[in-house]
Amino acid sequence: MNYRVLSMKTTKLIAAFAVLLFAFTACNDDEDPQVTDPNDELVTISDGELLEIILEELNLRNASDLTKGRILELTELNLSNSVVASFQGLEQAENLEVLLARNIEVADLSPLSSLTKLKEIDMRDALMPTSLSFLSPLENLVSIDFQNTAVANISALSGKTTLIHINLRETDVTDISPLTGMTQLEFLNLNRAGGGNGISNAEIIIPMDKLYYLSLRNTNLGDELFAQIFANKTLLVECNIRNTGITSIEPLIPLFEAGAFTQTLSDRFGNKISLDLQNNPITDLCLIAPFANNFPEGELEWSAVAGDLSNCD
């Protein structure tokens, strides 16, 4: 009788132990599930050319080697003169800071909107949309170059106070009101913007006193607006005001006297000294004679109608 009771107790004890062991194992499984590192996830790049360039940049052999962790290593990418037609997948290169994409053809630029660390975008000569709306979320931009593109709408640039370099030469931009208040700008190229006819509201440039480069070729200024814009541009090293409707260069003289267009500033900004006054009926060319030696040969230009410095007293 006692043996049977002991046997039953032992059986119950073993069963209870088994239950506890199962519960403990299940609990451990819940607390320590198998974790997959997100950086090991594969990245899909749909465009074959883009994929090949990224693999080469990261020194990878196969698409199966391109993981989230590896694409995060990209900080600069050069796609210029390639046949890349899609940026799909590039949005995962979240640490990209510099994108060079000259002379390419891409219709959808929206993947770039996710690259919030971008500082420099150069898409000169690219076939691309007319709006820069894809730049709206990007708050760290320092330099943008869309020269010789169909860009017409730059409203996305409004409030981007980190920008110091803007090149909109030979674009269809006529309205630069989104640049209002950008007194931090150092480089502004609007040469033959507006489809070749210039911009419509150059007065926006008046407060921009940090510019070392300014090109307004083919924008109709006239003498009054010209004087207002250039009243404070004492850091200028290179300037193109060809065909802007000015007749007097008197507003430039205080700039020369303050040290503009000098080798000192040229060295500081790494830019050549140059001034283009061509296609303007200037009547007081001789005012610039004392400063002509500031310019390397061929970098001070004017039209014959303005006369010749050799005739100045």
Side-chain angles (χ1 to χ4, degrees):
M1 182 70 176
N2 291 339
Y3 175 78
R4 290 179 61 189
V5 171
L6 180 62
S7 178
M8 291 177 64
K9 288 183 176 180
T10 302
T11 301
K12 290 180 179 180
L13 185 61
I14 293 172
F17 178 78
V19 170
L20 286 172
L21 181 61
F22 175 81
F24 179 78
T25 304
C27 182
N28 279 352
D29 287 344
D30 289 340
E31 291 178 358
D32 189 24
Q34 187 173 0
V35 178
T36 301
D37 189 341
N39 286 332
D40 292 335
E41 295 177 7
L42 291 181
V43 172
T44 300
I45 303 293
S46 59
D47 187 284
E49 177 84 351
L50 178 58
L51 175 61
E52 183 177 338
I53 293 172
I54 290 176
L55 291 178
E56 182 177 356
E57 181 67 25
L58 294 174
N59 197 27
L60 300 175
R61 291 186 177 182
N62 303 303
S64 59
D65 298 322
L66 184 59
T67 62
K68 179 68 172 178
R70 293 308 306 271
I71 202 170
L72 288 176
E73 296 175 14
L74 279 178
T75 57
E76 297 187 13
L77 189 61
N78 189 346
L79 307 176
S80 296
N81 303 308
S82 68
V83 293
V84 169
S86 171
F87 285 155
Q88 292 301 319
L90 187 59
E91 66 272 11
Q92 298 189 67
E94 296 172 2
N95 291 324
L96 197 65
E97 296 182 0
V98 177
L99 177 63
L100 307 179
R102 291 188 177 191
N103 193 33
I104 67 170
E105 182 175 355
V106 178
D108 180 14
L109 302 180
S110 61
L112 302 184
S113 297
S114 300
L115 304 179
T116 55
K117 293 186 179 180
L118 272 176
K119 295 180 180 180
E120 178 182 348
I121 300 178
D122 186 344
M123 296 190 68
R124 182 184 298 195
D125 301 322
L127 291 175
M128 55 176 285
T130 61
S131 173
L132 296 183
S133 57
F134 70 98
L135 297 182
S136 291
L138 307 184
E139 299 297 337
N140 294 302
L141 291 172
V142 174
S143 174
I144 57 173
D145 189 332
F146 295 100
Q147 177 175 323
N148 193 32
T149 65
V151 168
N153 183 346
I154 63 169
S155 57
L157 299 184
S158 181
K160 295 196 180 302
T161 55
T162 56
L163 279 169
I164 62 172
H165 180 118
I166 296 178
N167 187 356
L168 298 171
R169 172 176 173 166
E170 296 172 273
T171 61
D172 290 331
V173 174
T174 57
D175 175 18
I176 64 165
S177 57
L179 306 187
T180 300
M182 288 194 182
T183 55
Q184 80 283 357
L185 284 179
E186 297 180 0
F187 182 108
L188 181 58
N189 191 345
L190 298 168
N191 187 328
R192 288 168 285 177
N197 297 314
I199 58 172
S200 60
N201 46 1
E203 65 275 6
I204 299 296
I205 303 169
I206 292 174
M208 299 178 184
D209 58 358
K210 293 182 175 63
L211 290 170
Y212 72 84
Y213 181 105
L214 176 60
S215 181
L216 291 169
R217 178 176 173 180
N218 284 14
T219 290
N220 184 31
L221 300 178
D223 289 325
E224 183 176 352
L225 183 54
F226 170 62
Q228 292 176 333
I229 290 174
F230 284 82
N232 57 2
K233 303 298 186 288
T234 57
L235 297 178
L236 280 175
V237 178
E238 181 172 357
C239 184
N240 188 331
I241 42 178
R242 180 188 298 199
N243 192 33
T244 52
I246 64 172
T247 64
S248 174
I249 58 172
E250 185 173 359
L252 295 180
I253 305 310
L255 307 186
F256 282 106
E257 294 173 343
F261 301 102
T262 58
Q263 191 60 48
T264 299
L265 288 179
S266 177
D267 294 341
R268 173 178 168 181
F269 293 110
N271 198 97
K272 68 178 182 179
I273 306 171
S274 182
L275 177 61
D276 189 342
L277 302 168
Q278 295 182 80
N279 297 354
N280 289 304
I282 295 169
T283 59
D284 52 7
L285 182 67
C286 286
L287 289 177
I288 209 171
F291 310 100
N293 290 333
N294 288 18
F295 298 88
E297 184 177 355
E299 294 298 340
L300 176 59
E301 301 177 281
W302 65 90
S303 296
V305 66
D308 195 296
L309 294 180
S310 61
N311 297 326
C312 298
D313 295 333

